[in-house]
Amino acid sequence: MSKLANRPDWADDEDLDDTTNELPPDTQTSNRDGTKTIVSWRFDDNGRKVKTTRRIRFTTHREVVNPRVAERKMWAKFGLSSKDGKGPAADTTSIGENIIFRPSANWRKDAKEEKTDTGNLKEKLKDKQVKCRICNGEHFTARCPYKGTIAPVGEEGSGDVAPGGPADLGEGPGGLSSGKGSYVPPHLRGAQEGSGDRMGGGKYERDDLATLRVTNVSEMAEEQELRDMFERFGRVTRVFLAKDRETGLAKGFAFISFQERTDAARACEKMDGYGFKHLILRVEFAKKAA
Amino acid sequence: MRPILLQGHERALTQIRYNRDGDIIFSTAKDQHICAWFAHNGERLGTYHGHQGALWTVDVDPTSTIIASGAADNTVRLWDIKSGKCLKVWNFDTAVKRVEFNEDGSRLLAVTEKRMGFLGTIVVLAITLDAEAEQSDERVMTISCEESKATVAGWSYMSKYIIAGHEDGSVSQYDAKTGEALDNVQVHELDMLITDLQWSQDRTYFITACKDKTAKLINARNLEVLKTYVADTPLNSASITPKKDFVILGGGQAAMDVTTTAARQGKFEARFYHKIFEEEIGRVRGHFGPLNTVAANPNGKGYASGGEDGYVRVHQFDKAYFDFTYEVERQARQQQQTAI
């Protein structure tokens, strides 16, 4: 078990295989488009080596400040920060997600609209009453006086309902608009927008919408090459090229995530059938993971 | 805008202060150190160690040389900002809930808690604005709050009055030289704790935040309520923004009820109101707990908020913030221009 725990996951960075205990020096390379790629290494809490690759575009922003303020910027750090280097330390300072703040006089009205959207589900369920599936009376099915004597209402009509007996979680006739027999979890039923306020919600869905699956990729392909190829169509947020852990060769498929779905669609159209390293790429939208 | 998250504290924030130039932020929390941060990039300048209890309050002098802090270990301490050294310790009978320098930094007031048979007091200390100088032990003045203890206090313009907010929702005015009680006005609902008191830039008026879900703008000279801002949640802090005529209110459901509510219902947002029209114009989300303190940057370009969740979030306003005006404001400006 401990052996398993120590072994790095195959999905982790491919460079984890080497077992030397020294950190390679940080490297800094300038890219052609004016950005810099900085590769730095550190050990994480479990003693594993972590490679951080940052691609940064530097813009110089000049600001004239009061000499008092300028002098204070030169002060040496002290206390818990005395060991920190120049610039913000990663353990105390981080950048939050972008917040859109537009003051407006009819702020309340805007917010109210938003509120009704989320309150929809609640309102829908508010005047929902208990309904028996056997006799349509206002009691639970299990309490039905006709239980076992007559068949549930509409059972003949809904032939494609998955077999599960009367104890199944069906919603009664017409409860599910999809009409398909497969089970739909309660939180996905009905309107899509009332899916609750999860923290950081929507991240994965958004990701999925603008992700392309590229197959028939050459074994010799590199992530950077793919990124360069697809970046022509728009901002690429993620490139994942499946690689064999032992040999380091590509397995023949990759996922490319775009920031915008429109860019992804354009890339899909243009790159499908593109010849890359003697092979013809096949590009399609990634299917949502089950 | 992308806020900068500062993670220097392990416990709930209690107060945030900008220095006068707006380049350094001081934050205190219920853990036992003060943090100093650069406001422009969130870099931590340092921490000040020495207190033995939860820190309640911090203030920085106008020249950014020293800071004062008050804590639950019954002390007020003076620190050298640059080196982090403790310069002076004053001992009191009870916890210190609020400290504030006056306009020229020659006096410091400290509000002490009412506990263990001791009355709540406002103590004034003389300060020598020099990191090297010897500070005097002597208390220049002590005001006892016999009726209801003071929770917050501050110096008005020209250090003329000391204004205190009380536990029972009233605000009182003391003569800053003699300590004589001049006035006491029940501005908030009875027995609703006043949680914060912050000044306008010229210290002629101030804003109070109260557990009765309102914040009020009050004239320091006659304690007349100028404006009232009504929120839907108990307020912990309120601040007046320079440059734009807004106020920022922070609050949220009481800390002990937090675990039972979703982030949205908890109302953990900074609320912006128009200072003149008393109308809410927007909210900024982000914290996972009630906001314990908000502070507007004196340069008017940003604000910081500290929450029960232990985070400080430093915001720099976008263009939309500076562009926002009411229709009447725009018209008035046009008329002015055409008149010229």
Side-chain angles (χ1 to χ4, degrees), chain A residues 68-69 72-73 75 77-81 87-88 92-94 96-99 101 103-105 107-108 118, chain B residues 1-3 5-7 19 21 23 38 42-48 64 81-82 84 280-283 285 324:
Chain A
R68 290 192 301 267
V69 176
R72 283 198 282 267
K73 281 186 184 167
W75 281 359
K77 296 184 181 180
F78 56 88
L80 289 177
S81 285
T92 55
T93 308
S94 52
E97 61 179 303
N98 198 11
I99 292 174
F101 174 54
S104 90
W107 176 85
R108 248 170 218 294
T118 54
Chain B
M1 55 188 177
R2 275 185 180 274
L5 274 66
L6 309 180
Q7 268 170 288
N19 66 343
D21 294 316
D23 64 321
F38 287 113
E43 187 176 349
R44 185 160 73 177
L45 171 64
T47 53
Y48 304 83
S64 305
I81 292 179
K82 191 177 174 181
E280 186 163 356
I281 52 167
R283 292 187 181 182
R285 288 179 300 113
F324 171 73

Side-chain angles (χ1 to χ4, degrees), chain B residues 114-125:
Chain B
K114 174 184 178 179
R115 197 159 287 160
M116 300 182 296
F118 293 105
L119 281 176
T121 61
I122 301 167
V123 181
V124 177
L125 303 159

Side-chain angles (χ1 to χ4, degrees), chain A residues 1 46 87 93 97-98 133 135 141 152 173 201 221 232 246 278 280 289:
Chain A
M1 188 62 211
N46 301 330
T93 308
E97 61 179 303
N98 198 11
R133 260 180 290 121
C135 66
T141 310
R232 283 185 284 157
E246 245 92 84
H278 308 296
I280 292 169

